[in-house]
Amino acid sequence: FLENLEISSLIEILKKESSKDIAYILSSLSVDYAKNFFNEFTDNTDEIINVLLSDFKISKEDAEALQKKLFEKYKKFLSEESMRTDGKTALINFVNNLPLENSKKLYDKIEEVNSEIGKELRNKIFMFDDLTELDDNDIVLIINNLEHNSLISFMKSVKYEIREKFFRNMSERVASMFREDLEILNELSEEEKAITIDNVFNAIREILKYK
């Protein structure tokens, strides 16, 4: 069951075990897994190697007791790891579902509290500024899946750079039609723009499967 763990997780579990017990465990693992363990383990490797080189033995009772202890630690670790993972998933979902202003505030707070975790979560979070980084396929996907009037209102509300990114991914005929519709559409108030951007960006998150 230990080989179900990442090497770093096994190292965490074995931290307080004796060199003899670690040597016994390693001798029970596959060669590839044990090799990878040694590549990452930096503690008492000399002692472990000395035990492995000796004609060491472990009684059946001690082996069973060790296996039982490790299995309990394994279950506890998996439970804690699951909780940590679920916590991160929850934060990702919060950021990806909140209105834009609150979304950015929450992500900034995550980075402030733990910049490393912030970086880890970032590639699963879709922020408004990420629109300019989308590839052409994603933009086409958005154009094809957003309701026409919603996209028109959105393009009326966003800055020139984003608007042009959408135009570049339209055929000449479609782009011309959109430009005409944009000219016809009355200027939106700042409040209307904010509401439009929030609503449409939420739809974009769904289209790109960030929700």
Side-chain angles (χ1 to χ4, degrees):
F1 60 87
L2 292 175
E3 291 192 26
N4 292 327
L5 293 168
E6 295 287 334
I7 299 294
S8 57
S9 300
L10 179 60
I11 289 172
E12 188 68 26
I13 283 178
L14 296 182
K15 261 185 178 178
K16 296 182 180 179
E17 301 302 326
S18 69
S19 298
K20 183 177 180 180
D21 285 346
I22 294 174
Y24 168 72
I25 292 160
L26 290 177
S27 66
S28 306
L29 299 173
S30 69
V31 173
D32 282 344
Y33 192 87
K35 175 191 69 177
N36 291 332
F37 177 89
F38 263 114
N39 283 339
E40 295 188 32
F41 190 69
T42 56
D43 287 351
N44 51 339
T45 50
D46 289 352
E47 293 178 26
I48 295 168
I49 290 169
N50 283 331
V51 174
L52 287 168
L53 290 173
S54 69
D55 188 21
F56 80 100
K57 294 179 182 178
I58 185 169
S59 69
K60 182 180 178 182
E61 292 78 13
D62 287 345
E64 288 175 350
L66 178 60
Q67 287 173 356
K68 184 177 179 181
K69 179 174 69 170
L70 289 176
F71 187 63
E72 290 304 314
K73 290 175 76 173
Y74 170 79
K75 288 194 297 183
K76 184 173 183 290
F77 183 86
L78 284 187
S79 173
E80 291 173 351
E81 186 69 14
S82 175
M83 288 172 65
R84 286 198 292 272
T85 302
D86 289 345
K88 290 176 184 177
T89 301
L91 284 172
I92 290 167
N93 288 335
F94 292 156
V95 176
N96 280 334
N97 283 275
L98 284 170
L100 282 174
E101 185 178 350
N102 294 340
S103 175
K104 186 175 187 314
K105 283 180 181 177
L106 176 57
Y107 179 72
D108 288 346
K109 189 65 179 177
I110 294 168
E111 279 223 304
E112 181 185 323
V113 171
N114 191 318
S115 60
E116 287 302 312
I117 288 180
K119 289 175 185 174
E120 178 189 336
L121 303 188
R122 185 63 180 89
N123 65 350
K124 296 178 182 177
I125 289 171
F126 189 60
M127 309 286 276
F128 186 72
D129 290 343
D130 294 333
L131 277 172
T132 57
E133 304 300 321
L134 290 177
D135 62 30
D136 291 346
N137 290 334
D138 285 333
I139 296 294
V140 170
L141 185 65
I142 293 168
I143 292 169
N144 290 340
N145 284 276
L146 271 181
E147 193 269 328
H148 178 81
N149 289 337
S150 294
L151 184 52
I152 289 292
S153 298
F154 181 73
M155 291 175 70
K156 187 82 171 181
S157 304
V158 296
K159 60 186 180 181
Y160 173 84
E161 182 184 4
I162 295 174
R163 191 159 55 244
E164 287 302 308
K165 191 173 183 73
F166 278 87
F167 280 135
R168 286 196 300 272
N169 284 280
M170 296 176 183
S171 67
E172 190 174 332
R173 182 183 65 82
V174 172
S176 175
M177 181 178 67
F178 266 79
R179 290 185 192 279
E180 288 177 10
D181 288 345
L182 281 169
E183 287 181 14
I184 294 169
L185 183 64
N186 292 330
E187 195 62 40
L188 302 175
S189 68
E190 290 305 311
E191 183 181 357
E192 287 172 327
K193 286 180 180 179
I195 293 171
T196 297
I197 289 172
D198 253 335
N199 290 339
V200 176
F201 189 73
N202 209 34
I204 290 172
R205 283 168 167 166
E206 290 189 1
I207 291 167
L208 299 180
K209 303 191 184 306
Y210 279 93
K211 289 173 67 67

